[in-house]
Amino acid sequence: MLFRSIFLLSLLSFSPWTSVDYVWGTSYDSGRDKHYCTEGSFKYFEEAYHREPENPDYQVGYGICRVIHAGDDPALRELYDHEALDILYRAVELHKNIRAAFFIAKYIQTGGDLNFHSLDHNKLNEAIAAHQHVLFLIYRDTSFPESGQIHNEEDDQIELKSNHALPLLYFYKFLTGGWGLYNQRLLQSSIYKKHNKENMNSKSNTYPDYSPYTLDSLSRTVEFANQCINLPQKYYFDTVDYTVYKAACRILKKIALEFQPLQEQRLSILNQKSCEDILDCPEYHELEN
């Protein structure tokens, strides 16, 4: 099915973490590899945090390292993640720490994998809100990044990445919602029911939090792509990253604008009585193709 193909292709093509991120100078873009927060760094931040638990630098350092070193045991990993995220959330709440907010946004977006190939489709709304909060913290700080953020910003390019993540995530929300809408109608199909009685309860997610909002998701993609495109170049932006992310946002805007009339037609066809059974609806499949 074409829509599924587009959906899967998009997951491979539009990674928001295409340039390298750093934890204290080393990348954590490739997941929880302990190379990206060494045992020595972890021990340093752990001791420093327990010595000064209200120090925001130690909170963030220990929180990030605690996630990376959570281990492979699922139960322990969940426990350590919960502990670490509590610390990072506290750093955001009490100290408005932007690095902590950005790490939390990435954690939510990737389902805790911290791998740029990962995406938690069930947490898109939460990931969007998290990146919006990152930008809120940046833009409310009138002295940013001189307010102790310059090193973090030069290393992480947080402002650029969150500006790009928003249209990207809204586009994912559109794609996931469209896939969910198809699954909803598939589950109502008499043809499908006849041949898939045993699999009815195991069908893919219908994503009810996204499927009613496909057109809104496309509009939001355009809105936040424009915000990304219009972001002026700042002295702390990496020139290559700035060029790449703005180009990616222009692509997202172009795709979303092209999809809007097609999605309007798609919804119109689905509302027709002749398309009650999606597997017996030539107009729908013609539009997809």
Side-chain angles (χ1 to χ4, degrees), residues 160-178:
L160 268 178
K161 290 182 180 181
S162 281
N163 267 289
H164 171 245
L166 288 174
L168 182 77
L169 287 167
Y170 271 114
F171 188 65
Y172 281 145
K173 183 176 177 180
F174 157 69
L175 290 169
T176 309

Side-chain angles (χ1 to χ4, degrees), residues 67 76-87 89 107:
V67 170
L76 286 177
R77 188 167 181 166
E78 183 177 357
L79 176 65
Y80 291 146
D81 280 7
H82 183 74
E83 173 194 346
L85 290 172
D86 278 350
I87 294 169
Y89 274 112
Y107 184 96

Side-chain angles (χ1 to χ4, degrees), residues 248-267:
C249 288
R250 284 192 290 270
I251 291 171
L252 284 166
K253 178 181 178 180
K254 181 177 185 293
I255 292 173
L257 288 173
E258 291 176 349
F259 269 51
Q260 280 179 329
L262 294 173
Q263 182 63 6
E264 288 173 358
Q265 292 178 52
R266 186 169 182 260
L267 294 174

